[in-house]
Amino acid sequence: YSLASDLHGEVTKRFRANQIPMLLIVDRGGIVRDVVVGYSSERLAETKALLGRLLEERAGEGASAG
């Protein structure tokens, strides 16, 4: 997955991402699928599961398109 940097703080302001750590998971359609503020091992496991599902959805789309 890609990571991006917000050099001028525009995205930070738009998403009100003013806490650290903060993770926004945005799907390929531009929809925010999850927001994680702070850290917990339970949320980390949930986040990994969500990422896995999103990647599977994408893989499934490619397989059906062929």
Side-chain angles (χ1 to χ4, degrees), residues 10-61:
E10 295 170 17
V11 175
T12 300
K13 291 174 193 165
R14 187 172 190 176
F15 287 98
R16 297 182 187 129
N18 53 8
Q19 297 182 19
I20 298 175
M22 182 172 190
L23 172 67
L24 291 159
I25 299 176
V26 182
D27 69 14
R28 291 183 183 269
I31 298 170
V32 176
R33 300 292 296 261
D34 198 10
V35 177
V36 181
V37 178
Y39 175 82
S40 83
S41 56
E42 182 178 312
R43 285 293 284 140
L44 180 59
E46 293 170 2
T47 301
K48 286 181 179 181
L50 173 59
L51 287 172
R53 288 192 306 273
L54 291 173
L55 290 171
E56 286 174 9
E57 286 176 11
R58 182 62 184 165
E61 289 174 14

